[in-house]
Amino acid sequence: MELWDAYDERLNIIDGVVLVRGEQIPNNCFHLVSEIIVKHKDGSYLIMQRDKRKHLGGMWEATAGGSALQGENPVSCACRELHEETGIASDNLVEIGRVLHHGHKSFYVEYLCITDVDKDSIVLQEGETADYKWITADELRKLSRDELATQRILNFIEELN
């Protein structure tokens, strides 16, 4: 059972409320999701293909990331998720934005990780990701809604270039 802290719309923890993955999130509560855009020092971006067994399976994502576990803050969640999904160990993350999504009952905290890792060293997470590639910002912007799982990330890509 995966437990999450409950947050209000200002990203304050709501004392005494614990969320459980898969259970309905109460009204006026949100769970924290950290997402990391990985940009290589050469200017290319890492995108990963979702495992076909997952929701939106086969689509590409321009971020690593996921839900914060109970007790994790946004940056510690981001560091853990980045390492789990890519094999990149870095705490050199810069927060680039926050998105409150009422429909998903999620508070997304967006980070940028600029890295010089060997591009062939990415380690995929079993059951999460099936493939990866490095692409330019222009190639990323040209991905269609049928290819890219999260279109809102493109707003951040625009601001980063």
Side-chain angles (χ1 to χ4, degrees), residues 138-155:
D138 284 339
E139 291 170 320
L140 182 53
R141 282 190 286 270
K142 290 177 183 173
L143 291 176
S144 72
R145 289 191 176 275
D146 294 335
E147 297 171 294
L148 189 61
T150 308
Q151 295 289 312
R152 70 182 151 71
I153 294 303
L154 295 177
N155 296 328

Side-chain angles (χ1 to χ4, degrees), residues 60-103:
W60 292 91
E61 290 186 291
T63 60
S67 297
L69 302 174
Q70 188 176 26
E72 277 187 319
N73 63 40
V75 74
S76 63
C77 172
C79 291
R80 176 183 54 79
E81 288 285 350
L82 178 65
H83 188 259
E84 286 177 359
E85 293 187 7
T86 68
I88 297 172
S90 176
D91 59 4
N92 187 20
L93 305 177
V94 176
E95 185 177 324
I96 57 172
R98 295 180 176 193
V99 177
L100 182 64
H101 195 298
H102 286 273

Side-chain angles (χ1 to χ4, degrees), residues 24-36:
Q24 178 135 359
I25 296 174
N27 290 334
N28 301 315
C29 291
F30 301 89
H31 82 288
L32 170 64
V33 178
S34 292
E35 296 182 314
I36 309 93

Side-chain angles (χ1 to χ4, degrees), residues 28-135:
N28 301 315
C29 291
F30 301 89
H31 82 288
L32 170 64
V33 178
S34 292
E35 296 182 314
I36 309 93
I37 296 170
V38 179
K39 184 176 183 180
H40 198 273
K41 285 191 175 182
D42 71 6
S44 61
Y45 289 89
L46 175 65
I47 64 171
M48 292 172 291
Q49 188 176 38
R50 294 176 63 85
D51 187 284
K52 293 193 185 309
R53 297 167 288 189
K54 291 184 60 79
H55 174 67
L56 303 175
M59 294 182 78
W60 292 91
E61 290 186 291
T63 60
S67 297
L69 302 174
Q70 188 176 26
E72 277 187 319
N73 63 40
V75 74
S76 63
C77 172
C79 291
R80 176 183 54 79
E81 288 285 350
L82 178 65
H83 188 259
E84 286 177 359
E85 293 187 7
T86 68
I88 297 172
S90 176
D91 59 4
N92 187 20
L93 305 177
V94 176
E95 185 177 324
I96 57 172
R98 295 180 176 193
V99 177
L100 182 64
H101 195 298
H102 286 273
H104 293 167
K105 293 190 175 180
S106 299
F107 205 126
Y108 296 93
V109 180
E110 309 293 340
Y111 291 93
L112 174 66
C113 173
I114 298 178
T115 184
D116 62 354
V117 298
D118 179 340
K119 289 183 168 186
D120 295 324
S121 70
I122 301 304
V123 178
L124 299 173
Q125 184 179 12
E126 178 66 32
E128 290 286 327
T129 51
D131 199 2
Y132 74 92
K133 59 185 172 181
W134 295 88
I135 62 175

